Amino acid sequence: MELLAGRSGWPSILLGRAATLAPDAGIEAAEAAGAWSAWKNAVASIAPDALIASVERSGLRGRGGAGFPAGRKWRAVANADRGQRYLVANGFGADPGAHAERLLLERDPHGVLEGLALAAYAVGATEATIVVRAGSGSAAARLRAALAAAEEKGYLGSAVLGTSIRLSVTVRELAGSFVTGEETVLLRALEDRRAQPDQRPPYPATKGLWGRPTLVQNVQTLAAVPWIVTHGAEAFAATGTPDAPGTILLSLSGALGRPGIVEAPMGTTLRDLLDLAGGATGTLKALLVGGPTGGFLPAASLDLPLGYGTLTEAGALVGSGSILAVGSETSIVELATLLTRYLSDESCGKSIPCRIGLRRLAELGDGLCTGLCRPTDEALIRSLSADVRDAALCGLEAGAPNPLLSGMRYFADEFAAASAGGSAPAAAARPGVSA
Ligand SMILES: Cc1cc2nc3c(=O)[nH]c(=O)nc-3n(C[C@H](O)[C@H](O)[C@H](O)COP(=O)(O)O)c2cc1C
């Protein structure tokens, strides 16, 4: 996907260097553009605790979906029991509509590695793994080349920059479904166990990889850390919004003039983002914000600013930063059903409400699309969604009802028309469905 230019004056925290470097630039060029200077500075003069305090003050929140404060997670890992600690950098990029992490790994692997080194040093992790989705173009190869160059220079390895700091880094390519990007699933996959989620708590911060304290952090979150060290926590906190400082990489796709990836400050309105992507190609009907477990927003929400609270209240998610523009010719009932079917197929099946409930939700959506439905089916979707959410073992299950629920919230007429056209047999003739 093309890298789109942001507005002039916007801070360039994540892709500033990538925009100026040749795609195959080596470590010398990256260093000339500022790479690894924050790490050298930290090794020479910043104590791990001061680094954690700085990330806490910066207000940096995780970019992998949940928006959890990074500093709080670092503190929890640093305070966990002594002994082996791990860092897992999540670059799996599970959302099929989000391409930004792959671009970041391909264009500035040194930025991710430097952020990883700073985070590992802060929490006392001596082994780190970066997970990349198998088949992600040249991301893994670029990362491995950058890693070898950084080891060669002594920035990573057994005696970092001649000190007693140790940090061994491995790149792992994993194949798997959408749910593999969820942190507990990722950890089990790294242990070569069945890729299914674990009940939390305990969180990976206290019991993660091989049962040891583990910092799981999205690669985009890590890439912001060198900037924070170089420019200061206060400078970072002054960007974006007070609730969500910094910038985010957004993948803008669908019915747009110029789909692509843009780095924008948190708080940017959806309208501004669409403008940067060339605007809607026809009449805009909706935006799917936050990926498959995100939600539909009507075209009337274009003035909504990008933020964790604002989007959740409106029924969508910041999620992995993917925004899909939906044109007026698309049926929301059909698209919501397609997404529900996708999530049902991608479910690992460990939780019974997820395994059975999502299949039933997709069947109910199919019924609305084909006319094999009853007037009570919308109410059934709502109550089944509540049950699935209540029982959720992981975020896939908790978020899977979102497409149908947000569709019913904002496009009630379309759903009502589909229900009214229903010709399903009486309830008694359909096992498992009560009126
Ligand atoms: C179904 C599902 C898929 C996920 N996929 C990803 C992913 O591809 N990359 C990622 O960083 N986080 C993903 N997450 C979120 C992770 O569980 C975790 O919160 C994140 O990696 C933590 O890093 P952060 O705090 O920097 O965001 C996913 C969550 C769910 C529920």
Side-chain angles (χ1 to χ4, degrees), residues 286-309:
L287 293 173
L288 176 73
V289 185
T293 53
F296 290 106
L297 298 176
S301 342
L302 284 184
D303 291 318
L304 210 60
L306 206 59
Y308 294 98

Side-chain angles (χ1 to χ4, degrees), residues 62-152:
R63 297 291 190 247
F68 191 81
R72 216 191 299 165
K73 198 147 67 171
W74 291 25
R75 183 71 68 194
V77 178
N79 288 344
D81 63 25
R82 294 193 158 273
Q84 183 64 54
R85 291 173 197 157
Y86 296 102
L87 186 148
V88 172
N90 193 345
F92 187 71
D95 176 351
H99 309 278
E101 277 150 20
R102 178 171 152 187
L103 181 109
L104 178 67
L105 291 166
E106 285 177 352
R107 300 287 292 274
D108 193 9
H110 287 288
V112 175
L113 286 171
E114 190 182 5
L116 172 152
L118 288 159
Y121 168 67
V123 304
T126 53
E127 287 187 33
T129 305
I130 307 187
V131 181
V132 181
R133 187 201 269 272
S136 295
S138 52
R142 294 253 162 87
L143 207 44
R144 285 199 176 101
L147 175 58
E151 284 172 345
E152 178 85 11

